[in-house]
Amino acid sequence: MILHIDMDAFFASVEQRDRPELRGKCVVVGGSSERGVVTTASYEARRYGVRSAMPMFEARRRCPHAIIVPGRMHRYKAVSRQIMDQLRAFTPLVEPVSIDEAYLDISGGKRLFGPPEQIARSIKHRVMQATGLTCSIGVAPLRFLAKIASDMEKPDGLTIISQAAVPAFIDRLPVGKIPGVGKVTHEKLARMNLITLGDVRQYPPDLLVNRLGKFGHRLVALARGEDPTPVTPSSDVKSVSSENTLSRDTRDAALLHTILRHHAEDVGRQLRRHHLKARTVTLKIKHADFQQVTRSKTVTRPIQSAESIFKLAEDLLDQYSLTRKVRLIGVGASHFITADTPIQMDLFGDTVEGSKNWEKVDHTVDAINEKFGRGFISKASLVPPGKKTEPDSRE
Ligand code: TTP
Ligand code: MG
């Protein structure tokens, strides 16, 4: 089963979430100048006919009381990452296709997360908990139908097309709804009297290919209920690392250990963000004379927690004889397996004793920092000596 998720009025919803005074109002995101266009509009504004890509003056004409806000792309991107992260908790097979939509292959999720409808509801719930935003979801045995389904009950929709319902759905599906059928193709099909995908199925395939070229092949396949495009996870990350050039060259082992700890923490965070576990940890050192040294250690069982990464990096540093001053130090992790599903976690367990608990700590720290900003909370071992004071009232 393929699940397609698409956020509702994404940019506008983020603005309404961040600025409570905009909630329930007609919000239009876009350029407010003479030549500005609408990027998106809240559902309140859509009632007045405001649409994406409409000139802003037209939007103003249709909805004079609309509040126009300029976009904040960095913000939307950050929220998008948060959403994709939530999705990866259900399956590693997540293919983001735009800033606010993704395909998931949920075929393997039944045992862990229940039937498709339950998975979809859990996803909606999780996305809401993590971001305060609503989304619409479509589930179907075919990728293109999942996409169409997610659009059918917007906003806050959930539409499931079961295997049994597919033939009838295809037969009645207006061709204009098919992703990839633009205005020109739509008109061509209309001239051939092809109104639904059912009409396409009954049409001689050769003739269709003749008229439409390559896209004709695709339409013939879709009409037969074939959409072989697999869900391809975008994450082809091969390694993650964290390093820094020191403000002063040093051989001070205690200082280097503290810095390593920070890097291990950062690497752990990246692994968790990508839902990966690593089997190899690499220590990288650049000396004052710019000579670079790397030392690696590979373990049998994949790790993810900052603590496990730090322990390995620390061993590597201890085994390396520091005869010269260090200019740059870093930690890397590679040799990945995906670490998304509890099955895999149980299967592989974890290596360093007690690191399961550390993983829990790391995940909690990630969640808090995600909500309140990076650095809101961190481990005592990362705080420089002398700064471990009582939290002030602000904290
Ligand atoms: P969409 O998912 O197409 O639109 P939407 O999320 O705003 O509304 P809907 O509930 O109908 O899904 O696009 C996602 C975001 O991408 C949208 O919030 C703004 C941005 N976008 C553009 O920048 N340019 C465009 O032409 C469109 C359509 C969207
Ligand atoms: Mg959307």
Side-chain angles (χ1 to χ4, degrees):
M1 287 300 260
I2 311 286
L3 182 149
H4 181 259
I5 172 170
D6 187 297
M7 302 304 294
D8 301 321
F10 186 46
F11 294 3
S13 305
V14 173
E15 295 302 334
Q16 288 179 318
R17 179 198 72 171
D18 289 354
R19 296 168 55 188
E21 74 273 16
L22 297 180
R23 291 180 197 163
K25 302 263 170 66
C26 295
V27 174
V28 177
V29 178
S32 56
S33 75
E34 284 291 298
R35 295 147 51 85
V37 290
V38 173
T39 305
T40 193
S42 67
Y43 275 81
E44 291 85 351
R46 291 185 196 194
R47 266 186 237 122
Y48 293 83
V50 181
R51 297 281 179 268
S52 291
M54 179 180 275
M56 194 56 85
F57 67 81
E58 177 65 18
R60 273 209 198 89
R61 195 184 63 76
R62 293 188 185 205
C63 185
H65 57 290
I67 303 163
I68 299 166
V69 296
R72 294 179 299 154
M73 209 54 202
H74 66 280
R75 185 82 180 133
Y76 312 141
K77 278 189 181 155
V79 180
S80 176
R81 271 197 299 275
Q82 247 180 312
I83 294 162
M84 301 304 166
D85 278 355
Q86 295 303 321
L87 301 180
R88 291 192 187 98
F90 292 87
T91 169
L93 296 176
V94 176
E95 179 182 337
V97 280
S98 82
I99 192 163
D100 86 326
E101 64 181 307
Y103 288 99
L104 279 70
D105 187 332
I106 55 164
S107 312
K110 189 163 181 212
R111 214 170 65 87
L112 276 173
F113 302 108
E117 180 173 344
Q118 200 174 319
I119 296 178
R121 288 195 191 285
S122 305
I123 289 177
K124 284 170 75 80
H125 181 72
R126 232 184 131 129
V127 168
M128 170 56 82
Q129 293 258 307
T131 67
L133 301 173
T134 62
C135 62
S136 294
I137 288 180
V139 183
L142 297 161
R143 185 178 160 118
F144 84 110
L145 292 183
K147 163 107 178 158
I148 292 167
S150 73
D151 202 42
M152 286 172 61
E153 289 168 57
K154 262 186 172 293
D156 202 11
L158 170 53
T159 307
I160 294 174
I161 304 171
S162 68
Q163 185 74 57
V166 166
F169 191 92
I170 284 183
D171 271 356
R172 280 186 232 127
L173 184 69
V175 287
K177 293 264 182 207
I178 299 167
V181 174
K183 200 164 160 248
V184 175
T185 310
H186 199 181
E187 280 167 6
K188 260 192 207 167
L189 291 168
R191 279 199 297 274
M192 294 155 76
N193 229 355
L194 302 178
I195 309 305
T196 66
L197 201 47
D199 298 336
V200 172
R201 194 165 51 79
Q202 315 241 332
Y203 199 79
D206 296 350
L207 221 53
L208 197 75
V209 172
N210 241 334
R211 303 248 175 118
L212 294 176
K214 206 171 151 209
F215 195 68
H217 282 294
R218 167 115 179 116
L219 277 183
V220 170
L222 296 184
R224 289 180 182 153
E226 296 159 13
D227 186 2
T229 321
V231 173
T232 315
S234 66
S235 169
D236 47 8
V237 188
K238 293 279 183 286
S239 70
V240 296
S241 64
S242 172
E243 61 180 49
N244 75 314
T245 303
L246 310 176
S247 53
R248 215 173 328 125
D249 298 347
T250 186
R251 271 181 63 194
D252 179 346
L255 176 62
L256 292 174
H257 275 243
T258 307
I259 298 169
L260 269 195
R261 207 175 255 287
H262 275 277
H263 289 316
E265 202 74 26
D266 191 33
V267 167
R269 198 157 39 228
Q270 294 183 56
L271 288 178
R272 292 190 293 282
R273 176 140 52 82
H274 294 293
H275 297 268
L276 296 169
K277 285 189 174 191
R279 283 190 51 211
T280 300
V281 169
T282 301
L283 169 74
K284 175 173 162 184
I285 286 175
K286 228 183 231 174
H287 288 291
D289 60 4
F290 287 92
Q291 197 205 350
Q292 185 176 306
V293 183
T294 56
R295 293 283 183 273
S296 294
K297 194 161 186 168
T298 298
V299 292
T300 38
R301 291 188 175 177
I303 56 170
Q304 189 184 52
S305 75
E307 193 62 24
S308 326
I309 295 159
F310 173 67
K311 285 217 172 95
L312 290 175
E314 191 184 38
D315 284 351
L316 290 166
L317 181 63
D318 289 344
Q319 283 156 21
Y320 180 68
S321 56
L322 271 179
T323 50
R324 287 167 295 159
K325 283 188 174 175
V326 174
R327 178 187 155 77
L328 171 150
I329 191 161
V331 177
S334 54
H335 216 144
F336 296 145
I337 62 137
T338 55
D340 277 294
T341 57
I343 279 190
Q344 282 169 324
M345 284 193 190
D346 290 346
L347 207 62
F348 294 106
D350 209 6
T351 48
V352 191
E353 216 176 327
S355 69
K356 208 140 213 161
N357 290 332
W358 276 113
E359 273 183 22
K360 268 191 207 153
V361 172
D362 286 345
H363 279 288
T364 309
V365 169
D366 284 351
I368 293 172
N369 283 334
E370 189 108 292
K371 201 152 185 175
F372 300 106
R374 171 84 60 93
F376 187 88
I377 181 173
S378 76
K379 287 185 200 144
S381 56
L382 290 170
V383 181
K387 285 214 170 163
K388 287 178 195 170
T389 49
E390 290 297 307
D392 69 29
S393 56
R394 194 169 42 88
E395 290 168 305

